[in-house]
């Protein structure tokens, strides 16, 4: 399935959404307005909550905090239920209509699923890459469809891109930073701005620094291995957007390796994952990754060997 087919499928799904929800909300609003007018006639000023529905558009359902939302009526122990929800983004306490989910729950599920798909099929904007001063390169994968169906293409660079990497990066650096779009462009734009300054400051505390930052389009994690061979970097740190789920589409990971080589086992990588506002905040993660890089350089090993 190509990108165009996927977009058509999404449009079809959206068009099939239950319009009864909008109708019911409009009826509810009309009923509330009648009640408010009746109260105002009797000299009572009600606390009217603004709920505007225009042209079938309802408020953004994704703005609701799932961990705060509680839909179970007459719960035996609502306080304990809400306490559990504070510790997980799982969809607890949703309730039902007969044997089915409530309409609100289904719409939220579809919205989160759409956000996950957008994160995979969209691109990090050129303006963002320019703003951050990254050096753009691209793997052998020439399209998003090819990137998804041929993971091996996302791990290597064609000769012209190898030349750009060699000419643009300082040879044999202690630390080389790489940013890859991976499976979530949203994760990169949401976290990198805060992550990199924290990383840079943390490295300076150890007498370390980094210069040029490469940005890889259509990147798989193992693309960092060929970059290490081309630049001679001692440690590669690659920030990459992770596969999105229904909890968040903005999760980023930092993969680190000591002198990685093409074809090396995954066990040689050290990773800090779940970097996003609902997990490990980008600033905190940047400082933590700086400490790990220092540890990797001191021990001259990474991955399971580092532990």
């Amino acid at each position: 399935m190509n990108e165009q087919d996927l977009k058509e499928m999404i449009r079809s799904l959206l068009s099939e959404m239950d319009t009864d929800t909008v109708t019911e909300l409009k009826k509810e609003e009309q009923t509330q307005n009648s009640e408010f007018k009746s109260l105002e006639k009797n000299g009572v000023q009600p606390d009217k909550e603004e709920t505007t529905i225009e042209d079938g558009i309802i408020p953004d359902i994704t703005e609701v905090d799932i961990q705060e939302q509680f839909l179970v009526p007459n719960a035996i122990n609502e306080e304990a239920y809400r306490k559990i929800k504070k510790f997980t983004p799982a969809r607890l306490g949703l309730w039902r209509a007969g044997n089915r989910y409530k309409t609100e729950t289904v719409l939220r599920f579809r919205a989160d699923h759409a956000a996950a798909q957008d994160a995979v099929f969209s691109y990090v904007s050129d303006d963002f890459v320019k703003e951050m001063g990254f050096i753009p390169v691209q793997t052998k994968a020439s399209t998003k469809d090819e990137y998804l169906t041929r993971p091996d293409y996302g791990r290597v660079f064609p000769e012209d891109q190898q030349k750009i990497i060699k000419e643009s990066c300082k040879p044999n650096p202690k630390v080389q930073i790489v940013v890859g779009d991976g499976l979530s462009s949203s994760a990169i734009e949401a976290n990198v701005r805060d992550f990199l300054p924290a990383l840079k400051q943390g490295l300076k505390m150890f007498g370390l620094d980094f210069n040029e930052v490469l940005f890889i389009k259509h990147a798989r994690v193992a693309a960092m291995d060929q970059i290490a061979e081309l630049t001679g970097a001692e440690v590669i740190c690659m920030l990459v957007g992770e596969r999105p789920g229904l909890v968040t589409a903005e999760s980023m990971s930092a993969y680190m390796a000591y002198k990685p080589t093409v074809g090396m086992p995954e066990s040689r990588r050290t990773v800090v994952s779940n970097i996003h506002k609902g997990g490990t905040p980008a600033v905190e993660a940047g400082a933590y990754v700086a400490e790990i890089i220092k540890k990797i350089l001191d021990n001259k090993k990474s991955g399971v060997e580092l532990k």
Side-chain angles (χ1 to χ4, degrees):
M1 181 182 292
N2 59 33
E3 187 174 351
Q4 185 61 35
D5 290 338
L6 181 65
K7 288 180 178 178
E8 289 299 325
M9 183 180 72
I10 293 171
R11 290 193 190 98
S12 176
L13 288 172
L14 291 174
S15 67
E16 294 172 4
M17 282 187 176
D18 190 359
T19 56
D20 290 343
T21 304
V22 175
T23 303
E24 289 299 321
L25 285 170
K26 286 183 176 179
K27 287 181 180 179
E28 184 179 345
E29 183 183 33
Q30 291 171 355
T31 302
Q32 288 178 348
N33 287 337
S34 298
E35 292 174 353
F36 289 142
K37 288 178 181 179
S38 177
L39 289 170
E40 287 170 352
K41 284 182 180 180
N42 295 322
V44 179
Q45 294 296 325
D47 294 329
K48 186 173 181 180
E49 187 175 317
E50 294 294 333
T51 304
T52 305
I53 302 176
E54 298 178 355
D55 299 325
I57 298 175
I58 61 177
D60 187 354
I61 198 169
T62 62
E63 293 181 358
V64 176
D65 185 348
I66 290 180
Q67 289 180 279
E68 295 290 338
Q69 187 181 46
F70 187 75
L71 303 176
V72 179
N74 306 315
I76 295 175
N77 192 339
E78 182 175 335
E79 183 181 354
Y81 215 145
R82 287 184 176 275
K83 187 175 181 180
I84 293 172
K85 285 175 67 69
K86 290 288 185 182
F87 291 96
T88 175
R91 295 161 196 261
L92 304 178
L94 299 181
W95 206 236
R96 62 185 182 274
N99 293 324
R100 302 181 180 183
Y101 290 117
K102 300 182 73 173
T103 301
E104 181 180 0
T105 301
V106 174
L107 291 176
R108 178 58 186 267
F109 180 90
R110 287 180 171 181
D112 290 341
H113 187 250
Q117 288 183 315
D118 285 346
V120 172
F121 285 95
S122 60
Y123 286 97
V124 175
S125 70
D126 293 337
D127 290 341
F128 179 81
V129 175
K130 291 178 182 177
E131 174 195 336
M132 298 301 297
F134 296 157
I135 299 168
V137 292
Q138 183 173 325
T139 61
K140 188 178 178 181
S142 58
T143 65
K144 183 70 75 171
D145 184 61
E146 192 171 56
Y147 166 72
L148 294 171
T149 57
R150 291 295 304 266
D152 54 321
Y153 281 11
R155 301 181 186 122
V156 294
F157 298 92
E159 290 186 6
D160 61 327
Q161 300 299 297
Q162 293 182 37
K163 183 179 179 181
I164 293 174
I165 294 170
K166 287 182 177 180
E167 293 177 350
S168 302
C169 295
K170 178 182 176 181
N172 305 314
K174 282 278 186 182
V175 180
Q176 177 65 56
I177 304 300
V178 180
V179 177
D181 51 10
L183 289 168
S184 176
S185 59
S186 302
I188 298 303
E189 296 198 19
N191 296 291
V192 167
R193 279 192 186 91
D194 294 329
F195 182 94
L196 286 181
L199 174 63
K200 199 172 190 70
Q201 183 177 357
L203 289 175
K204 283 185 176 180
M205 293 176 61
F206 302 118
L208 299 169
D209 202 353
F210 59 87
N211 296 304
E212 303 82 7
V213 177
L214 290 170
F215 173 76
I216 310 174
K217 185 177 181 180
H218 297 152
R220 296 283 178 176
V221 172
M224 64 191 287
D225 302 342
Q226 189 173 22
I227 291 175
E229 292 186 352
L230 292 169
T231 62
E234 196 164 349
V235 173
I236 292 280
C237 175
M238 181 173 180
L239 310 178
V240 64
E242 290 287 15
R243 180 182 293 106
L246 295 175
V247 174
T248 180
E250 297 182 348
S251 183
M252 183 180 78
S253 288
Y255 287 84
M256 293 154 280
Y258 181 76
K259 293 185 176 180
T261 55
V262 174
M264 76 176 193
E266 293 300 307
S267 59
R268 285 183 56 192
R269 303 188 205 280
T270 297
V271 61
V272 175
S273 59
N274 206 34
I275 301 171
H276 60 93
K277 62 184 178 182
T280 303
V283 173
E284 181 182 337
Y288 179 52
V289 167
E291 293 180 7
I292 295 177
I293 290 175
K294 177 64 164 60
K295 185 177 179 182
I296 290 174
L297 285 168
D298 288 344
N299 291 273
K300 300 189 183 303
K301 59 183 67 174
S302 57
V304 294
E305 294 179 349
L306 187 65
K307 299 178 180 180

